[in-house]
Amino acid sequence: MMRKVGLGIIGCGTIADVYMTNLTQHFDQVEVLAVADLFAEKAKAAAEKFGIRKACTVEELLQDPEIEIVLDLTIPAAHYSVNKQVLEAGKHLYCEKPLALKYAEAEELVRIAREKDLMCVSAPDTFLGAGIQESRDVIDSGRIGSPVGFTANMTCAGHELWHPNPGFYYKNGGGPMFDMGPYYLTALIYLLGPIRRISCFTASGRPVRNILGTETETEVPTTYTAIMEFVCGAIGTMTMSFDHWDTSLPCLEVYGTKGSVYCPDPDSFNGPVTVYDGQKLKGIVDAVTAPHPAKIIAMVTNQGSCKEEAKMEFAENPEHRANMRGLGVTDMAEALLDGRKSRMSAEISVHVVEALNAFEESARTGEAYVMKSTCERTEPMGKDWALWEIR
Ligand SMILES: NC(=O)c1ccc[n+]([C@@H]2O[C@H](COP(=O)([O-])OP(=O)(O)OC[C@H]3O[C@@H](n4cnc5c(N)ncnc54)[C@H](O)[C@@H]3O)[C@@H](O)[C@H]2O)c1
């Protein structure tokens, strides 16, 4: 049997629960050896709930020689300093998104990691789920031709409606782009490759929010709408908003020279993937020999027949593990054991942080931001991954 990789978790808040459930009960590649939090009682409660042998301070956790990977689940404003401590202690790092708030900080972290030969990546790991893996397979197989466009949208009324401690979402480093953008950017980068340019507008639709009963002024814009160009040539739009009560916008669609792919929500691990076969429609219309109006009728009536749900070759997961957070850190542990690269790369994590700041900068200057960093699309999961994850 393969040995388990020792894992330490810093931050025992809202999202820690699903991570700890999955990493102590469902994923076999790691063993959670210790948990820490600014508040000792939170670490203690988490250790008790999940049967983890040690609840301690951050410093004690980082001194534990059995811990090889540290999972940082603190709030975004704490990521840079916690992550730096983790790397300086010689531990591999997997951080909740984003890796850092500033591009220079993210670069510095990756520089430290390279010097120490450590892995240094950030969430999300939702792109490792069946939905985005299948979408990548559709694109790579050429079914939609070369990607030329896309749209990516996450619009909701605001996280104060559900989060038990929502203040940080409206402070610097929060907002819909920093919070939700990483899911959509990571999926887009994984599907299309690196970004070339970003042009963005921002707005604050409701600049005073009720945070735990107190009317609070927001520090960050709450709607971002951007136009983006990828190095592969695809151009598209991205809207992230905490101002929209409802929407019928798609989460993520990619348009190619031969067809389109409708992808599931990149903030989830699963969901159906639908392919629109433009060549089929062209064939139907070309076969109509009658003049123009008949071709229009053929086109309109046959639209539906050109859409097909992709056969999910990447098996969807059983319901109880639908939220598979922890898959990324597990992939990292397996990469460590197998001497391969992890599927989330330091370069993608940094590219995402640069992009998050680029939206802000473009909105501020009124000019398109040209990306400085770049990255490569990482390897897809093997199609036997459903077996892999329960090993
Ligand atoms: N809540 C969600 O649904 C959700 C989903 C996906 C990702 N995330 C991400 O997970 C991270 C945490 O979010 P959350 O919602 O769990 O926040 P939270 O505020 O509920 O929990 C954060 C925890 O980190 C601790 N902490 C903060 N600074 C610390 C420090 N310097 N050292 C040690 N502990 C520290 C806090 O005491 C708290 O227990 C964020 O990066 C967020 O973007 C959250």
Side-chain angles (χ1 to χ4, degrees), residues 10-16 19 36-39 42 58 72-76 78-79 81-82 85 95-98 123 162-165 168-169 178-179 183 267 325:
I10 303 178
C12 303
T14 311
I15 201 61
Y19 270 101
D37 195 285
L38 264 187
F39 300 95
K42 286 180 119 178
V58 172
D72 177 1
L73 302 180
T74 64
I75 54 170
H79 286 178
S81 62
V82 171
Q85 258 182 291
C95 174
E96 243 309 331
K97 40 97 188 147
W162 64 271
H163 196 281
N165 189 19
F168 74 88
Y169 288 117
F178 268 80
D179 179 48
Y183 296 106
D267 183 18
R325 280 185 169 80

Side-chain angles (χ1 to χ4, degrees), residues 22-95:
N22 289 343
L23 292 169
T24 59
Q25 293 167 31
H26 301 313
F27 294 118
D28 243 5
Q29 292 87 336
V30 294
E31 182 175 2
V32 184
L33 298 176
V35 289
D37 195 285
L38 264 187
F39 300 95
E41 65 277 14
K42 286 180 119 178
K44 193 162 169 281
E48 271 166 22
K49 179 169 177 188
F50 294 101
I52 298 163
R53 70 179 189 215
K54 192 160 81 177
C56 57
T57 64
V58 172
E59 289 68 27
E60 284 163 351
L61 185 147
L62 294 179
Q63 279 163 16
D64 185 334
E66 286 184 63
I67 292 177
E68 293 171 78
I69 300 179
V70 172
L71 173 58
D72 177 1
L73 302 180
T74 64
I75 54 170
H79 286 178
Y80 166 68
S81 62
V82 171
N83 292 347
K84 198 169 166 183
Q85 258 182 291
V86 169
L87 294 168
E88 281 173 345
K91 311 290 187 194
H92 299 284
L93 169 75
Y94 185 99
C95 174

Side-chain angles (χ1 to χ4, degrees), residues 62 80 102 158 162 187 200 250 258 260 293-294 297 341 348 361-362:
L62 294 179
Y80 166 68
K102 299 285 173 218
W162 64 271
C200 183
K258 290 186 186 167
S260 304
I297 291 165
K341 289 183 174 169
I348 294 179
E361 189 163 329
S362 168

Side-chain angles (χ1 to χ4, degrees), residues 99-138:
L99 183 61
L101 294 183
K102 299 285 173 218
Y103 174 41
E105 293 171 350
E107 279 195 312
E108 184 192 341
L109 293 173
V110 172
R111 201 168 45 244
I112 297 171
R114 280 204 193 104
E115 280 165 15
K116 292 178 169 279
D117 200 19
L118 295 168
M119 287 189 271
C120 166
V121 304
S122 68
D125 51 7
T126 40
F127 76 99
L128 300 177
I132 299 300
Q133 291 295 310
E134 195 66 46
S135 306
R136 163 90 174 244
D137 203 48
V138 166

Side-chain angles (χ1 to χ4, degrees), residues 58-314:
V58 172
E59 289 68 27
E60 284 163 351
L61 185 147
L62 294 179
Q63 279 163 16
D64 185 334
E66 286 184 63
I67 292 177
E68 293 171 78
I69 300 179
V70 172
L71 173 58
D72 177 1
L73 302 180
T74 64
I75 54 170
H79 286 178
Y80 166 68
S81 62
V82 171
N83 292 347
K84 198 169 166 183
Q85 258 182 291
V86 169
L87 294 168
E88 281 173 345
K91 311 290 187 194
H92 299 284
L93 169 75
Y94 185 99
C95 174
E96 243 309 331
K97 40 97 188 147
L99 183 61
L101 294 183
K102 299 285 173 218
Y103 174 41
E105 293 171 350
E107 279 195 312
E108 184 192 341
L109 293 173
V110 172
R111 201 168 45 244
I112 297 171
R114 280 204 193 104
E115 280 165 15
K116 292 178 169 279
D117 200 19
L118 295 168
M119 287 189 271
C120 166
V121 304
S122 68
D125 51 7
T126 40
F127 76 99
L128 300 177
I132 299 300
Q133 291 295 310
E134 195 66 46
S135 306
R136 163 90 174 244
D137 203 48
V138 166
I139 293 174
D140 287 1
S141 69
R143 282 179 73 184
I144 66 159
S146 305
V148 292
F150 66 88
T151 189
N153 306 286
M154 189 300 302
T155 79
C156 69
H159 289 351
E160 71 275 26
L161 297 181
W162 64 271
H163 196 281
N165 189 19
F168 74 88
Y169 288 117
Y170 295 99
K171 293 202 162 74
N172 287 321
M177 185 56 84
F178 268 80
D179 179 48
M180 299 304 288
Y183 296 106
Y184 293 75
L185 291 168
T186 304
L188 281 168
I189 292 165
Y190 184 68
L191 297 176
L192 302 175
I195 305 160
R196 195 199 312 267
R197 284 191 295 174
I198 293 175
S199 192
C200 183
F201 289 86
T202 59
S204 294
R206 283 178 283 123
V208 178
R209 301 280 171 146
N210 188 308
I211 307 291
L212 303 177
T214 306
E215 295 297 308
T216 310
E217 274 189 42
T218 58
E219 287 178 11
V220 286
T222 42
T223 294
Y224 293 68
T225 293
I227 301 171
M228 302 169 72
E229 179 189 28
F230 278 67
V231 172
C232 71
I235 57 170
T237 56
M238 181 160 167
T239 292
M240 301 283 117
S241 177
F242 287 160
D243 287 332
H244 298 179
W245 287 103
D246 192 24
T247 181
S248 57
L249 285 167
C251 290
L252 183 63
E253 294 181 351
V254 178
Y255 313 114
T257 48
K258 290 186 186 167
S260 304
V261 56
Y262 311 139
C263 312
D265 182 351
D267 183 18
S268 71
F269 287 84
N270 293 310
V273 177
T274 304
V275 181
Y276 186 97
D277 186 345
Q279 300 307 291
K280 190 171 175 188
L281 182 68
K282 192 169 174 303
I284 291 166
V285 174
D286 286 351
V288 179
T289 49
H292 205 55
K295 283 187 181 267
I296 292 174
I297 291 165
M299 193 162 89
V300 172
T301 52
N302 282 296
Q303 291 280 2
S305 69
C306 300
K307 257 188 211 176
E308 192 190 333
E309 215 163 272
K311 187 173 156 287
M312 299 292 281
E313 294 195 48
F314 294 86

